[in-house]
């Protein structure tokens, strides 16, 4: 029987949060990380470095932001939806096809695009090559144009979601669209998986990424009883074949653990500090983190200011296996100044000397990653820790 602490260690090790370079170095490490994690959520918010870059930097010390674009160009990864906009390994492309076909067949989808505009976009890209959205914006402004800009944006997104276009690259967050046959490798498997194959893909993706999982996590944001039934059947077969084992701990949901990990020696996580993105794979399943790590985390950037408890864009602070707080921060890039708006220290049982130096080292690395050269500390909670924290951080730069 595994303990909660052992489950924590297993999942953090599988997530690549227990050592400095768990996936190696450079661009190859990005491929290794993505194949382990299963997906990498893309986010447009840039209060600090965007989530997809932050998540990889946390695991790859020499990570560079251009790696993702290069891997798209090299046809090793692609963009689509997992539970949100994501980068995925190109080997998994066929498992995105059911959702693409579902969008194509859904006449009531929230992206209701004009069929004539969609056909014009496809014909233009087929004849002229990859296009950005703003290329069509210029066309829409021409005198006598029969379409305008807003429907074009909707049409582009609809074509992307139903698989008629793919994202061939980015300039920052500006997407370039092209036809799938010019983006995908020539030998890619385009076979649409059966519902049972898709359920098997989901189960194995989560087990590979976390070492153990729950039924709720596997079916996160998946609609309908059919997918739950298929997932249960896949788990049942995997138990019969002794690939996974169901673990029952009082007060917790049933956990399905990879059998080989049960037999391996579970190592405790070293007392390193990690500053996680709000969209990091290790934190994105909020119920799981609350249940198994006793850390109640919600991102508050979508919450009205007067209702926020911690701040606009708080980063969870992980020390070893324990979340010790969160830090609301912002990179003022024009000033090259990084501001800690509010540092919330929540686990008062953790000795200051245990986390202080690792935190200072990590925050300095993160400041440099955000292309800043100075630090401003505004607020610390609880207040009785403020003086010690200020002294700790005052000589970082």
């Amino acid at each position: 029987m595994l303990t909660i602490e052992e489950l924590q260690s297993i999942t953090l090790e599988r997530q690549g949060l227990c050592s400095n370079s768990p996936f190696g170095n450079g661009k190859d490490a990005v491929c290794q990380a993505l194949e382990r994690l299963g997906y990498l959520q893309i986010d447009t918010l840039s209060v600090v470095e965007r989530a997809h870059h932050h998540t990889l930097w946390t695991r790859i010390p020499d990570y560079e932001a251009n790696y993702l674009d290069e891997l798209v160009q090299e046809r090793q990864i692609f963009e689509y939806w997992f539970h949100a906009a994501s980068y995925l390994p190109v080997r998994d492309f066929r498992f995105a096809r059911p959702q693409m076909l579902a969008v194509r067949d859904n006449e009531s989808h929230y992206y209701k695009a004009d069929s004539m505009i969609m056909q014009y976009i496809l014909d233009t890209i087929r004849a002229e090559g990859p296009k950005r959205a703003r290329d069509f914006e210029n066309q829409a402004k021409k005198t006598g144009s029969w379409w305008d800009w807003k429907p074009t944006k909707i049409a582009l997104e609809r074509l992307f979601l139903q698989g008629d276009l793919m994202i061939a690259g980015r300039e920052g967050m500006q997407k370039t669209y092209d036809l799938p046959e010019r983006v995908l490798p020539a030998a890619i498997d385009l076979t649409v998986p059966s519902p049972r194959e898709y359920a098997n893909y989901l189960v194995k993706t989560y087990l590979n990424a976390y070492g153990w999982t729950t039924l709720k996590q596997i079916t996160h944001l998946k609609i309908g009883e059919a997918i739950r039934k298929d997932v249960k059947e896949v788990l049942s077969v995997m138990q019969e074949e002794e690939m996974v084992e169901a673990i029952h701990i009082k007060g917790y949901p049933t956990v399905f653990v990879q059998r080989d990990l049960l037999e391996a020696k579970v190592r405790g996580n070293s007392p390193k500090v990690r500053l996680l993105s709000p969209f990091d794979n290790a934190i994105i399943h909020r119920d799981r983190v609350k249940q198994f790590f006793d850390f109640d985390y919600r991102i508050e950037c979508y919450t009205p200011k007067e209702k926020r408890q911690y701040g606009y864009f708080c980063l969870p602070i992980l020390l070893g296996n324990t979340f010790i707080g969160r830090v609301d921060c912002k990179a003022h890039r024009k000033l090259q100044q990084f501001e800690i708006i509010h540092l919330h220290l929540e686990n008062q049982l953790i000795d200051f000397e245990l986390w202080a130096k690792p935190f200072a080292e990590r925050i300095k690395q993160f400041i440099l990653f955000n292309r800043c050269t100075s630090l401003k500390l505004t607020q610390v909670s609880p207040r009785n820790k403020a003086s010690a924290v200020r002294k700790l951080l005052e000589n970082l730069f």
Side-chain angles (χ1 to χ4, degrees):
M1 176 66 70
L2 292 176
T3 66
I4 294 299
E5 290 74 18
E6 288 171 329
L7 288 174
Q8 291 171 351
S9 294
I10 287 173
T11 208
L12 291 174
E13 185 167 23
R14 294 300 297 173
Q15 280 285 297
L17 295 174
C18 292
S19 57
N20 287 331
S21 301
F23 303 110
N25 298 299
K27 192 163 55 175
D28 287 344
V30 175
C31 284
Q32 295 294 323
L34 197 52
E35 289 178 359
R36 170 72 64 79
L37 299 176
Y39 72 95
L40 178 69
Q41 184 166 334
I42 301 169
D43 193 70
T44 58
L45 294 173
S46 59
V47 180
V48 294
E49 185 58 88
R50 289 187 172 93
H52 40 293
H53 298 310
H54 182 174
T55 298
L56 288 172
W57 173 82
T58 301
R59 295 158 173 84
I60 305 169
D62 65 346
Y63 173 75
E64 296 179 13
N66 58 293
Y67 287 159
L68 287 170
D69 289 334
E70 291 176 9
L71 289 168
V72 170
Q73 295 292 328
E74 294 167 10
R75 304 183 180 189
Q76 296 193 59
I77 66 175
F78 73 103
E79 287 192 38
Y80 196 65
W81 282 73
F82 192 73
H83 69 265
S86 303
Y87 289 103
L88 299 110
V90 78
R91 68 179 188 188
D92 294 338
F93 180 80
R94 65 185 291 252
F95 296 104
R97 293 209 66 208
Q99 184 168 335
M100 293 175 180
L101 295 176
V103 174
R104 184 176 297 174
D105 294 339
N106 185 0
E107 294 183 0
S108 61
H109 192 274
Y110 57 90
Y111 282 113
K112 296 180 180 179
D114 186 291
S115 60
M116 292 179 65
I117 295 177
M118 290 170 67
Q119 190 59 54
Y120 172 80
I121 289 171
L122 285 173
D123 291 344
T124 301
I125 290 176
R126 184 173 289 109
E128 300 179 10
K131 295 288 184 182
R132 298 161 298 181
R134 65 187 184 198
D135 296 326
F136 293 103
E137 179 183 20
N138 294 334
Q139 287 293 109
K141 291 178 179 178
K142 289 183 178 179
T143 303
S145 174
W146 50 270
W147 48 277
D148 62 29
W149 176 221
K150 187 175 180 180
T152 307
K153 289 195 292 185
I154 295 173
L156 278 167
E157 194 62 21
R158 175 74 185 231
L159 288 166
F160 165 67
L161 289 173
Q162 66 185 37
D164 291 318
L165 289 177
M166 291 186 68
I167 296 171
R170 285 177 179 263
E171 292 180 20
M173 296 305 292
Q174 177 81 326
K175 305 169 187 174
T176 299
Y177 297 88
D178 202 353
L179 302 176
E181 57 264 34
R182 298 200 293 235
V183 176
L184 292 169
I188 192 73
D189 185 357
L190 299 177
T191 307
V192 179
S194 67
R196 183 64 173 270
E197 284 181 302
Y198 182 67
N200 188 62
Y201 157 73
L202 287 178
V203 171
K204 289 185 175 179
T205 295
Y206 280 110
L207 285 172
N208 187 48
Y210 298 93
W212 54 269
T213 188
T214 64
L215 179 63
K216 185 174 183 179
Q217 183 178 17
I218 297 169
T219 57
H220 179 62
L221 296 182
K222 302 296 186 291
I223 299 172
E225 186 57 35
I227 184 64
R228 290 179 61 85
K229 180 176 179 291
D230 286 330
V231 166
K232 287 179 180 179
E233 290 179 358
V234 169
L235 287 168
S236 178
V237 170
M238 292 179 77
Q239 289 178 77
E240 291 174 5
E241 296 176 351
E242 297 188 346
M243 296 172 64
V244 301
E245 184 170 319
I247 303 294
H248 306 283
I249 302 176
K250 186 177 180 179
Y252 293 86
T254 300
V255 170
F256 299 92
V257 187
Q258 283 184 239
R259 185 96 184 176
D260 59 336
L261 296 179
L262 282 171
E263 299 165 359
K265 185 177 180 181
V266 179
R267 295 175 298 176
N269 197 355
S270 61
K272 294 180 180 294
V273 166
R274 309 286 185 184
L275 302 176
L276 302 184
S277 165
F279 302 103
D280 192 290
N281 298 57
I283 197 81
I284 196 64
H285 295 279
R286 313 303 194 203
D287 289 345
R288 173 188 169 111
V289 173
K290 183 176 181 180
Q291 288 172 334
F292 292 96
F293 287 86
D294 193 26
F295 185 62
D296 190 2
Y297 179 77
R298 295 289 185 274
I299 188 169
E300 297 181 328
C301 57
Y302 309 113
T303 303
K305 186 175 182 179
E306 63 276 9
K307 295 183 179 180
R308 291 175 195 151
Q309 182 178 1
Y310 296 105
Y312 182 83
F313 203 74
C314 276
L315 312 182
I317 306 171
L318 178 66
L319 173 70
N321 287 17
T322 304
F323 287 94
I324 63 169
R326 60 201 89 195
V327 56
D328 186 31
C329 47
K330 180 178 176 61
H332 301 280
R333 294 182 180 87
K334 289 184 178 180
L335 300 174
Q336 293 187 311
Q337 182 186 72
F338 189 92
E339 181 182 5
I340 293 178
I341 300 169
H342 199 159
L343 172 61
H344 302 266
L345 300 171
E346 299 165 46
N347 195 321
Q348 299 304 303
L349 298 178
I350 303 295
D351 187 83
F352 182 84
E353 296 302 322
L354 183 63
W355 67 263
K357 186 176 179 181
F359 174 77
E361 291 173 351
R362 197 60 176 167
I363 199 72
K364 181 174 182 178
Q365 293 166 354
F366 191 63
I367 290 168
L368 296 173
F369 176 61
N370 279 272
R371 300 176 298 283
C372 293
T373 57
S374 63
L375 171 64
K376 176 184 178 183
L377 175 61
T378 301
Q379 188 175 353
V380 177
S381 292
R383 290 183 179 180
N384 63 1
K385 299 291 185 183
S387 177
V389 171
R390 288 186 185 281
K391 185 175 180 180
L392 171 71
L393 300 179
E394 65 185 4
N395 294 317
L396 279 186
F397 293 94

